[in-house]
Amino acid sequence: MSHPHLLLSAGAHDRLGVRRKDPDWLAERWHDASSRALVVSGTRVRPVEGALPWVETAEAPDGVRVLLGERDGTTHWAVITGPEAAESQEGEWYPLRGLLPALAGDQVVDAPLVFHALGLAEWHWATRHCPRCGGRLAPEAAGHELRCTVCGRTQFPRTDPAVIMLVTSGEPGADDELCLLGRSPQWPEGRYSTLAGFCEPGETLEDAVRREVAEEAGVVVGEVTYFGNQPWPLPQSLMLGFVGRAVTTEIDLADDELADARWLTRAQMRDEATAGGLVLPGGVSISRSLIEHWYGGPLPGQW
């Protein structure tokens, strides 16, 4: 079966990394009439009639020019301006999570470009001073590096690895096989998802899966197998999907990271999702892919 989260990577662009320090080439492509730019105010974008506003570079405001790359013969850029741009213009400006509806349908091919643009915008927004000396940072390499103007140290964009896992118990494929879902304290009743957490320094991804499940739900996990990954720059994560086999099934929510955790059979999942009592993650998330991969097909309803 196809996995919904892969849609957000379907239009991957050539990032043209070897061109980022070629000023003549950058200037030529910026002034080319076919090039397009996405204007980012701080970390927000303003959709126009539900679509992402790729503008001609000649119409883009002043700001940090970020080379995103090339797709279908068109060079794409992001222009990062201060947050005051959003305050001075009409229309609603959205962070990445609010833009996901605009990445549905035909526009899903823009997702890798938008993830690239807003991931770098978030990094520029959060990285203002050199961590070594506190000096001012200046953008280089078409927005992909920040160099300290005092000590010369270079900063590079951050991506934090986060594990997301579907934990199962019982004979694989059997009618009574179970999967574990949890509900965050911030979520409404009925909303459940796979468990997730960040990888700590010096930790393997598999051990991160085991630790997070033990901390959040008190369940011991043994075998861990890789499933897939999904860029998720909210603000700077890479979601790494796994399937874990439980050694124990008793749930203990001692650390209060979850409001609830449940074991569900496929029949229970189908019946509750159909009735609306169980609300599962959206179709473009790797969490949804993990759940439907285990279930064996599409399920009704989503956030």
Side-chain angles (χ1 to χ4, degrees):
M1 61 177 293
S2 62
H3 299 305
H5 76 280
L6 296 177
L7 292 173
L8 294 182
S9 301
H13 51 287
D14 181 351
R15 296 184 174 227
L16 299 173
V18 297
R19 294 293 193 177
R20 292 172 184 167
K21 296 184 178 182
D22 185 340
D24 293 335
W25 185 91
L26 292 170
E28 186 272 327
R29 296 311 303 162
W30 175 261
H31 293 291
D32 188 276
S34 68
S35 295
R36 293 294 181 266
L38 183 69
V39 179
V40 183
S41 176
T43 60
R44 295 172 179 261
V45 172
R46 180 183 59 177
V48 177
E49 298 181 352
L52 295 170
W54 293 98
V55 301
E56 295 183 13
T57 51
E59 300 175 358
D62 292 336
V64 177
R65 297 178 185 175
V66 175
L67 174 66
L68 302 177
E70 184 177 273
R71 192 189 68 204
D72 298 332
T74 299
T75 305
H76 290 78
W77 303 75
V79 177
I80 305 172
T81 69
E84 63 277 359
E87 299 169 0
S88 64
Q89 297 184 33
E90 296 181 358
E92 191 73 22
W93 292 71
Y94 294 95
L96 179 55
R97 192 176 295 277
L99 292 174
L100 291 178
L103 295 175
D106 293 341
Q107 290 195 90
V108 73
V109 296
D110 284 337
L113 289 165
V114 175
F115 280 14
H116 189 175
L118 291 191
L120 282 173
E122 290 274 4
W123 174 62
H124 278 264
W125 176 253
T127 313
R128 310 291 188 87
H129 301 281
C130 175
R132 171 181 284 176
C133 73
R136 184 177 64 84
L137 296 172
E140 293 187 349
H144 289 76
E145 297 178 15
L146 293 171
R147 183 177 296 275
C148 180
T149 58
V150 178
C151 72
R153 183 182 179 90
T154 301
Q155 303 298 316
F156 298 92
R158 284 271 309 276
T159 297
D160 295 332
V163 292
I164 184 166
M165 46 275 180
L166 185 126
V167 179
T168 66
S169 176
E171 183 67 24
D175 290 343
D176 60 352
E177 185 186 15
L178 301 167
C179 87
L180 180 66
L181 299 181
R183 182 171 67 83
S184 168
Q186 291 77 37
W187 295 348
E189 292 288 338
R191 179 181 291 184
Y192 283 82
S193 183
T194 51
L195 307 190
F198 287 100
C199 185
E200 294 186 348
E203 185 177 45
T204 68
L205 297 171
E206 292 82 359
D207 283 342
V209 169
R210 299 183 182 102
R211 174 183 54 77
E212 285 289 344
V213 175
E215 289 177 358
E216 294 186 2
V219 172
V220 177
V221 171
E223 180 185 3
V224 175
T225 56
Y226 177 69
F227 174 79
N229 66 84
Q230 177 179 46
W232 202 245
L234 295 165
Q236 54 191 28
S237 301
L238 175 66
M239 305 300 293
L240 299 150
F242 293 88
V243 176
R245 297 292 297 172
V247 176
T248 66
T249 57
E250 182 178 354
I251 293 173
D252 180 4
L253 306 180
D255 71 351
D256 298 325
E257 285 196 46
L258 296 177
D260 188 32
R262 301 177 56 195
W263 290 104
L264 294 161
T265 66
R266 291 179 178 84
Q268 289 172 328
M269 183 178 290
R270 179 194 63 237
D271 293 346
E272 293 190 32
T274 300
L278 176 67
V279 184
L280 299 170
V284 295
S285 69
I286 193 170
S287 179
R288 182 78 176 205
S289 293
L290 280 162
I291 293 169
E292 291 190 341
H293 173 72
W294 174 80
Y295 176 76
L299 284 159
Q302 63 181 41
W303 300 354

